[in-house]
Amino acid sequence: MAGSTLTIKDLHVAIDGKEILKGVNLEIKGGEIHAIMGPNGTGKSTLSSAIMGHPKYEVTSGTITLDGQNVLEMEVDERARAGLFLAMQYPSEINGVTNADFLRSALNSRLGEGNEISLMKFIRKMDKQMEYLEMDLDMAQRYLNEGFSGGEKKRNEILQLMMLEPKIAILDEIDSGLDIDALKVVSKGINQMRGGDFGCLVITHYQRLLNYITPDHVHVMMQGRVVKSGGAELAQRLEAEGYDWIKQELGIEDETVGQEA
Ligand SMILES: Nc1ncnc2c1ncn2[C@@H]1O[C@H](COP(=O)(O)OP(=O)(O)O)[C@@H](O)[C@H]1O
Ligand SMILES: [Mg+2]
């Protein structure tokens, strides 16, 4: 089976009437790993929230399609069922729902009616992935994200990724707040998903993660647009030289767009 393609064309997104994304173009194909880098407050998280259909993020123009299907017409759960996955920068805590129950219902929803996974198979698969991610098996029975440390939340997002096996994943700051061991484990999970048909957009403020996951494409986002794209070497140059050279190259004024949400 050929991989899926997520296509974003001239996307404009507003929050409370204020335009944040000002014409984003991006195409992610199955089998590819893309990285988006950029200063704080330039709209990286806004892009991921808009792709997943967060109601606060209003798409004012432009298109998002998955294999030609109009994503913008889909409800949030339909987007997940269609094979999109978002690891949020700040995963929510859900009191009263265990991690295992959450994962199982998310997985069954993804697999669709009539194709649900048996409880035994589910437990086996989850245990295997938790071991791979060096997670304490007790975490399965804890309420989702409640009291999880920053690193545990991020590992748990990768557990969800490995369980749900989406077509296209967007990982927003999956590396922030991780110590080096956790960073290695998280990268190991992403790299295991890599290859085949899995497409991934990694959003990161730092180049550090990209030492472990070599992206096929790197994009720089500034002031609500993708202003530059290149290969893995672009991330290295950003790490060494920061963003000023891009601003100069493009003649971008050094205005503050906003603060990180
Ligand atoms: N839920 C929100 N409510 C109001 N403003 C927001 C919200 N989310 C983001 N913003 C604003 O949108 C801009 C872009 O934020 P964000 O997409 O989080 O940037 P990044 O992820 O690149 O740091 C910022 O000015 C931020 O304050
Ligand atoms: Mg962000």
Side-chain angles (χ1 to χ4, degrees), residues 190-251:
I190 298 167
N191 281 325
Q192 177 173 291
M193 293 286 299
R194 190 170 197 166
D197 291 338
F198 173 64
C200 190
L201 175 62
V202 176
I203 298 174
T204 181
H205 187 55
Y206 302 103
Q207 198 266 341
R208 197 175 67 140
L209 176 71
L210 306 179
N211 292 329
Y212 299 96
I213 303 163
T214 309
D216 302 299
H217 303 274
V218 174
H219 312 277
V220 179
M221 193 158 185
M222 274 184 187
Q223 302 182 358
R225 286 193 191 93
V226 173
V227 295
K228 197 169 183 68
S229 297
E233 75 291 341
L234 179 55
Q236 274 150 19
R237 183 158 180 208
L238 290 170
E239 179 75 354
E241 299 177 38
Y243 292 98
D244 284 351
W245 63 277
I246 296 185
K247 288 182 191 158
Q248 275 165 19
E249 207 176 276
L250 300 168

Side-chain angles (χ1 to χ4, degrees), residues 7 11-12 16 18 27 42 46 53 57 63 65 73 95 138 142 151 177 183 190 210 212 231 239 246 250:
T7 308
L11 188 72
H12 291 248
D16 298 331
K18 185 181 166 214
E27 184 160 86
T42 51
T46 300
Y57 299 77
T63 58
T65 56
E73 274 179 0
N95 179 273
D138 292 349
R142 283 174 53 188
L183 185 69
I190 298 167
L210 306 179
Y212 299 96
E239 179 75 354
I246 296 185
L250 300 168

